[in-house]
Amino acid sequence: MDEDTYLLNFKGYNFLRALIDIDQLESLDDFEIRDEDIFIITYPKSGTIWTQQILSLIYYEDHRNRTSQMDSLDRAPFLEYNIRKVDFSKRPSPRLFSSHLPYYLAPNALKNNKNKIIYVYRNPKDVMISYFHFSKLLVALEDVDNIEQFMKRFLDGKVVGSLWFDHIRGWYEHRHSFNVLFMRYEDMKKDLRSSVLKICSFLEKELSDEAVDDVVRKATFRNMKSDPQANYDKFVREEVGARTEDGCFLRKGTIGDWKRHLTVEQSEMFDRIFQRKMKEIPLKFIWDVNEE
Ligand code: A3P
């Protein structure tokens, strides 16, 4: 099977064919946005489910104290993949949404500068490694033999989400058209409490110290991994399908795992492309856990 079996290219951007509804895609432009809607935007494998869990915990007390049974996937559903076929118009405000859309496919009404958007980004070598493992896991993604093969696919943008460089560049260069907070995965990892506070401040959500502690506790890698509302295990096994028994969304959750996977040559080649493509983008990246 070739990549077209897995990817659906729509207006120059690759979607996951298995989950996409073309009518929904075509109507995205005119999607009815409410001013209070909040969006999590990411390139795949950059911390989406983590941020879904953080926002679910911030906004819903019954998520925080576990008095409800709703997955974070349903608290902050994907805009372009309406996986559980929810009628979005019936959801009470403020609605949380997640999306991997590039800036130019975002619904027009989002460019009003009113809606709060949290864009989470991660160093792309770790994104690529995470994506490599994810491709081996999910039956809906094209399987891969080795890193070299995946690296080529990733650097050619022949993956869901298309080219990582285009995604981040697009959102960064058009940031003034949106009300967007850029968050770094690595900062969240290094100091989750400060990151939660920063997100709360952007969202103008005041939580008690105890509630913030609770958010932080329930959004750590360890706790999310064992939390069925947050770990997506059921979704992977029962709804999308897994190739192996042991793989999962919450794989490792670390900074710098790429060092265990890339050869020096592969890493240097990546660096050269990164430097060329990101020349005018002043965003800083953390590649190693010991880096400040
Ligand atoms: P790894 O594969 O490197 O472990 P996404 O949700 O965008 O698909 O991103 C998935 C990546 O985010 C996975 O990376 C996953 O482990 C990581 N992740 C999810 N929750 C996390 C958490 N609480 N802390 C750190 N990393 C987390």
Side-chain angles (χ1 to χ4, degrees):
M1 283 200 265
D2 63 8
E3 69 208 33
D4 290 343
T5 315
Y6 301 92
L7 304 179
L8 178 101
N9 194 283
F10 179 79
K11 299 191 180 170
Y13 181 77
N14 289 328
F15 291 87
L16 182 59
R17 187 179 282 278
L19 294 184
I20 210 69
D21 169 348
I22 193 78
D23 292 336
Q24 194 191 341
L25 262 193
E26 276 166 354
S27 60
L28 264 185
D29 246 5
D30 305 319
F31 182 75
E32 225 171 281
I33 303 270
R34 301 182 197 147
D35 286 355
E36 317 80 61
D37 290 345
I38 289 146
F39 292 81
I40 299 164
I41 299 195
T42 55
Y43 183 85
K45 313 320 295 169
S46 303
T48 324
I49 73 168
W50 192 3
T51 316
Q52 285 174 315
Q53 169 73 343
I54 292 172
L55 261 61
S56 304
L57 291 164
I58 290 175
Y59 276 93
Y60 301 102
E61 203 178 339
D62 59 341
H63 198 80
R64 226 160 40 232
N65 60 27
R66 295 218 168 86
T67 51
S68 72
Q69 290 301 316
M70 201 189 249
D71 296 351
S72 50
L73 174 65
D74 295 319
R75 300 272 188 196
F78 270 87
L79 180 65
E80 65 272 29
Y81 299 107
N82 189 351
I83 297 165
R84 290 180 177 154
K85 309 287 174 224
V86 172
D87 183 350
F88 290 151
S89 69
K90 299 225 163 73
R91 291 178 58 211
S93 290
R95 298 180 300 185
L96 306 178
F97 287 104
S98 308
S99 176
H100 292 320
L101 287 174
Y103 81 96
Y104 68 92
L105 290 182
N108 279 329
L110 252 193
K111 296 172 193 132
N112 61 12
N113 237 313
K114 282 200 187 113
N115 292 96
K116 294 186 197 302
I117 300 174
I118 299 175
Y119 185 96
V120 182
Y121 66 101
R122 182 183 192 185
N123 90 61
K125 286 183 185 170
D126 280 334
V127 169
M128 183 174 76
I129 298 306
S130 178
Y131 215 155
F132 165 72
H133 290 283
F134 198 54
S135 302
K136 294 189 84 58
L137 171 67
L138 236 60
V139 292
L141 294 175
E142 189 176 7
D143 200 0
V144 59
D145 297 328
N146 51 49
I147 295 278
E148 193 179 347
Q149 186 192 34
F150 188 74
M151 184 158 158
K152 181 164 178 358
R153 221 184 270 167
F154 183 80
L155 292 172
D156 285 344
K158 290 186 176 154
V159 288
V160 173
S162 294
L163 196 58
W164 177 88
F165 299 99
D166 290 345
H167 200 275
I168 192 156
R169 278 185 75 105
W171 277 103
Y172 186 77
E173 285 175 345
H174 294 83
R175 66 193 179 284
H176 299 304
S177 308
F178 301 92
N179 181 7
V180 55
L181 171 74
F182 286 85
M183 292 292 299
R184 234 174 6 187
Y185 172 100
E186 292 79 6
D187 292 325
M188 290 162 59
K189 184 77 198 170
K190 285 177 169 223
D191 187 347
L192 184 52
R193 197 167 205 284
S194 301
S195 301
V196 167
L197 289 172
K198 191 169 170 186
I199 290 172
C200 284
S201 154
F202 175 69
L203 298 173
E204 298 171 274
K205 283 291 285 180
E206 268 195 42
L207 294 186
S208 67
D209 284 351
E210 293 73 38
V212 172
D213 288 344
D214 216 13
V215 173
V216 172
R217 202 167 29 247
K218 294 195 167 103
T220 60
F221 182 82
R222 236 181 86 212
N223 286 339
M224 276 180 64
K225 201 169 164 66
S226 59
D227 178 353
Q229 276 180 224
N231 62 21
Y232 279 45
D233 280 355
K234 203 160 159 252
F235 171 65
V236 166
R237 313 262 155 224
E238 293 172 18
E239 292 176 61
V240 187
R243 283 196 184 94
T244 61
E245 281 296 308
D246 52 346
C248 51
F249 246 97
L250 281 120
R251 185 187 62 94
K252 224 167 164 202
T254 56
I255 305 171
D257 194 38
W258 60 270
K259 291 185 179 171
R260 293 179 50 253
H261 289 80
L262 300 185
T263 64
V264 173
E265 290 74 35
Q266 286 169 335
S267 173
E268 285 178 357
M269 182 181 117
F270 197 110
D271 291 341
R272 279 193 298 277
I273 297 171
F274 180 90
Q275 271 142 28
R276 186 158 37 86
K277 298 258 194 199
M278 298 295 284
K279 214 167 43 216
E280 284 118 36
I281 305 291
L283 288 170
K284 295 269 178 286
F285 291 83
I286 293 187
W287 305 90
D288 183 282
V289 70
N290 299 315
E291 225 174 291
E292 272 316 303

